[in-house]
Amino acid sequence: MPYTGWIILTASLVGLSCGLIGVFLILRRMAMMADAISHTVLLGIVIAFIITREVSGTPMLIGAVLAGLLTTFLVQWLHSLNIEQHASMGIVFTTLFAVGVILISTSVGNAHLDVQHALMGEITFIPWNTMSLPVIGDVPKATALLALAFVIVLSFIVAFYKEWKITSFDPALAASLGIPVVFLHYVFMSLVSITTVASFDSVGAIMVVAMLITPAASAYLWTDKLSIMLVLSSSFGVISAIAGYYTAVWLNTSISGSMAFATGLVFLVSFVFSPKHGLIAKYVKPAL
Amino acid sequence: MEDVAIKVENLFASYRKNTVLSDVNLAVESGSLTGIVGPNGAGKSTLLKSMLNLHPSLTGSVAFFGQPFKKMKKKIGYVPQRGSVDWDFPTDALDVVTMGLYGHIGWLKRPSRFHKEKAYQALEKMGMKDYAKRQISQLSGGQQQRVFLARALVQDAELYFMDEPLAGVDAATEHAIMTTLKELKTLGKTVMVVHHDLQTVAEYFDHVLLLNQTVIEHGPTNQTFTKDNISRTYGGNMRWMREEDHDVVPSIKQ
Ligand SMILES: Nc1ncnc2c1ncn2[C@@H]1O[C@H](COP(=O)(O)OP(=O)(O)O)[C@@H](O)[C@H]1O
Ligand SMILES: [Mg+2]
């Protein structure tokens, strides 16, 4: 596959996974948690690196999931101590992120891991760092990791679709029906972590947050059905990825930045034109 | 007393350091329709939640037909306060009612045609069949409450707990809901309902639980729901009008 093809495929995978996960972040009113996790997984990556001395797929995923679970647990714990939910998130993620940054600058000292890279990502270099897979052949490592993350996210969402729906809509009912609400919350946060860390390497933390929140928030404006919201959100993610790439090439600017900007444009268009909640619909539709 | 459906002993509950319920003891007769009455903040919602393990109680025990909650989960239907969920959630009325069946469907399976049919029938029973495919934010308050009731009905439970199902609904919905509650009672189900309108208590419920932090009085309505007990529950500042004819005044609220 040509260089451009790999970049677009990689970015599209980010858009797909983030789009799916983002829907539930929005519906569970946990958008802020995306920000928290996108910062704390850094700690997971650093620790995985310190132990294995390499930045590679599986240890990184495991490290990120552990960091994500730790974040979730600490936020819940602080909240149970009478600290407001968003304040708890703020405290936890800034602290864990700081620990990650300190570890990078003191004990890692490796060119592969710097803060700049973690925040902005480096999608341009992805196609050159390949691995060999059976049948498929040479594939960029980051792309393979993202494909794996996408498969995991998609299968969890499909397999537990009705559980995600009910625990997002009415956790009290879910609990009274015997559905393990807290356990599923941790599973969900693990999926957020997996998505985040897999996307991290290619697009960086800022882009991950944009991709997690904005396409889902846009999709929310277009539909009243959860399944359609999922399809729209992931499509918006892919569209933003592709449009962002070509914009970046055209203007010769940062790819991640353009993609994040594209998600913002999608939201703006949705906000103005959506038939149900959009600005124009509000003026055109007679009041009920 | 006859069959005891619900037994609560020495229940204490708190939000952080505020004790909201202290030393609650009660035994609810099987097949009764009980109104839970008390001033705002008396702990009515908290009592329901503590009984259903949705709010951790500090101490105390709760048993349903002699069994702990965990074993009886599937036999319990809960209708939370309408404001407890996000009505802008992307879903329609039929879907919300179907959620009541998720406990029966099991892991990795999707609701089948059979489940949808059951949900549809429950909506029909609540006079909502024309709204099955309507997005839930497009329903009126009364219609949303009927959807919640329909969802409880499909659970086909033995015990029902409802938190202010009649709050802010229109007269027709109030009538539809009360008809359904009385039917549940006829079927031998035990129903506990948090209720805010003192004027309709005697008409609607055969038992009443007067609650304010603890049980003030609990028993058959005609013996328990006396002026004296009510003012003990509400303290001095109760607004209580038409005290003699409260059971014949039709209630139309909004
Ligand atoms: N989530 C909460 N956090 C803190 N305090 C609460 C919470 N929910 C209820 N309370 C307090 O607990 C008391 C009882 O509340 P509740 O059970 O909702 O009363 P009721 O349903 O009888 O109006 C009130 O004083 C209320 O302020
Ligand atoms: Mg209440």
Side-chain angles (χ1 to χ4, degrees):
Chain A
M1 202 176 336
Y3 174 85
T4 309
W6 282 122
I7 294 210
I8 286 181
L9 177 63
T10 309
S12 299
L13 284 168
V14 173
L16 280 173
S17 308
C18 290
L20 292 175
I21 282 294
V23 165
F24 291 102
L25 279 172
I26 295 273
L27 293 179
R28 291 165 168 255
R29 305 199 174 273
M30 284 170 46
M32 172 92 176
M33 206 62 184
D35 211 2
I37 295 254
S38 71
H39 283 75
T40 53
V41 291
L42 178 72
L43 179 63
I45 296 174
V46 176
I47 291 175
F49 178 81
I50 291 174
I51 295 170
T52 63
R53 296 319 287 185
E54 58 176 330
V55 188
S56 75
T58 322
M60 238 167 65
L61 278 191
I62 295 171
V65 169
L66 292 179
L69 290 178
L70 181 67
T71 310
T72 313
F73 173 79
L74 289 177
V75 169
Q76 304 263 48
W77 177 67
L78 283 181
H79 185 53
S80 76
L81 293 181
N82 205 1
I83 293 166
E84 201 265 328
Q85 187 92 30
H86 284 91
S88 313
M89 289 183 198
I91 295 166
V92 172
F93 94 73
T94 47
T95 310
L96 296 188
F97 182 66
V99 175
V101 171
I102 292 169
L103 283 180
I104 287 184
S105 52
T106 56
S107 51
V108 180
N110 180 294
H112 277 296
L113 265 181
D114 63 88
V115 181
Q116 166 75 14
H117 175 108
L119 287 179
M120 292 307 289
E122 224 27 281
I123 200 166
T124 344
F125 301 137
I126 280 171
W128 292 310
N129 188 4
T130 61
M131 63 195 277
S132 201
L133 285 181
V135 187
I136 309 171
D138 277 358
V139 173
K141 277 185 185 162
T143 316
L145 188 65
L146 273 162
L148 177 66
F150 174 62
V151 169
I152 294 175
V153 166
L154 187 66
S155 27
F156 269 92
I157 286 184
V158 171
F160 303 113
Y161 184 71
K162 70 178 191 305
E163 283 78 14
W164 299 128
K165 180 151 61 173
I166 193 173
T167 54
S168 306
F169 175 63
D170 192 346
L173 174 77
S176 79
L177 291 176
I179 292 167
V181 178
V182 176
F183 175 73
L184 285 170
H185 178 65
Y186 280 96
V187 172
F188 177 68
M189 294 318 294
S190 304
L191 293 178
V192 177
S193 312
I194 288 175
T195 308
T196 308
V197 75
S199 313
F200 228 80
D201 200 32
S202 13
V203 297
I206 293 167
M207 164 81 171
V208 175
V209 177
M211 276 291 190
L212 279 172
I213 303 306
T214 328
S218 313
Y220 183 76
L221 296 172
W222 290 98
T223 177
D224 288 334
K225 267 185 87 74
L226 178 57
S227 49
I228 296 179
M229 187 174 166
L230 286 163
V231 172
L232 280 180
S233 176
S234 38
S235 316
F236 288 161
V238 173
I239 291 168
S240 307
I242 297 174
Y245 175 75
Y246 283 106
T247 312
V249 171
W250 176 46
L251 297 175
N252 191 20
T253 173
S254 146
I255 296 179
S256 294
S258 306
M259 287 177 183
F261 180 67
T263 64
L265 274 186
V266 169
F267 182 79
L268 189 66
V269 169
S270 307
F271 189 68
V272 175
F273 293 102
S274 124
K276 304 211 155 156
H277 310 279
L279 285 183
I280 288 184
K282 263 182 206 144
Y283 289 111
V284 173
K285 233 186 337 198
L288 286 174
Chain B
M1 191 180 279
E2 325 184 349
D3 251 2
V4 176
I6 308 161
K7 196 164 179 67
V8 177
E9 289 177 307
N10 310 319
L11 183 91
F12 285 73
S14 70
Y15 285 99
R16 288 144 209 172
K17 288 185 186 101
N18 288 337
T19 303
V20 175
L21 291 172
S22 61
D23 203 18
V24 173
N25 290 279
L26 58 107
V28 178
E29 209 174 290
S30 167
S32 61
L33 173 55
T34 307
I36 305 177
V37 177
N40 275 336
K44 305 180 294 291
S45 301
T46 309
L47 176 62
L48 292 197
K49 287 184 195 155
S50 314
M51 290 198 282
L52 302 178
N53 271 16
L54 296 172
H55 179 74
S57 50
L58 296 177
T59 57
S61 69
V62 180
F64 304 94
F65 296 108
Q67 307 264 26
F69 173 76
K70 274 207 156 58
K71 289 210 170 136
M72 293 296 289
K73 257 182 207 172
K74 296 225 160 121
K75 299 233 181 304
I76 297 173
Y78 172 49
V79 180
Q81 264 175 296
R82 187 154 48 85
S84 69
V85 302
D86 169 20
W87 290 97
D88 281 325
F89 196 90
T91 186
D92 59 32
L94 186 66
D95 215 29
V96 172
V97 177
T98 312
M99 287 182 195
L101 293 164
Y102 283 10
H104 298 283
I105 296 173
W107 293 99
L108 301 178
K109 290 196 210 118
R110 312 217 137 195
S112 65
R113 192 169 291 262
F114 165 77
H115 295 117
K116 291 273 172 199
E117 185 54 38
K118 252 185 115 171
Y120 189 74
Q121 283 166 6
L123 274 176
E124 189 165 20
K125 197 161 161 30
M126 295 308 303
M128 288 286 294
K129 74 173 162 50
D130 295 338
Y131 299 92
K133 286 287 165 194
R134 175 107 35 125
Q135 208 277 329
I136 54 176
S137 69
Q138 317 276 319
L139 300 170
S140 73
Q143 291 169 331
Q144 292 175 344
Q145 198 67 62
R146 290 182 198 213
V147 169
F148 260 15
L149 247 287
R151 187 178 75 175
L153 291 181
V154 297
Q155 283 181 253
D156 199 17
E158 288 304 315
L159 298 157
Y160 283 100
F161 295 90
M162 309 192 179
D163 204 342
E164 306 219 18
L166 301 177
V169 305
D170 53 287
T173 300
E174 178 152 344
H175 183 74
I177 292 177
M178 281 322 299
T179 309
T180 310
L181 293 190
K182 294 204 161 136
E183 254 176 66
L184 288 174
K185 180 185 155 59
T186 316
L187 292 170
K189 319 272 185 185
T190 310
V191 186
M192 296 193 84
V193 182
V194 175
H195 191 58
H196 63 284
D197 181 12
L198 293 176
Q199 303 197 26
T200 49
V201 170
E203 182 191 345
Y204 289 168
F205 303 103
D206 56 45
H207 282 66
V208 65
L209 169 64
L210 293 165
L211 189 83
N212 194 350
Q213 285 209 29
T214 186
V215 177
I216 307 293
E217 210 65 60
H218 175 212
T221 310
N222 51 11
Q223 294 160 30
T224 316
F225 198 60
T226 62
K227 211 177 137 190
D228 201 40
N229 287 338
I230 296 163
S231 51
R232 275 207 292 138
T233 312
Y234 281 79
N237 49 25
M238 162 207 57
R239 286 180 295 139
W240 177 242
M241 295 163 296
R242 305 192 198 107
E243 34 206 64
E244 300 316 321
D245 58 352
H246 61 266
D247 50 355
V248 291
V249 177
S251 96
I252 295 164
K253 298 178 295 294
Q254 197 46 269

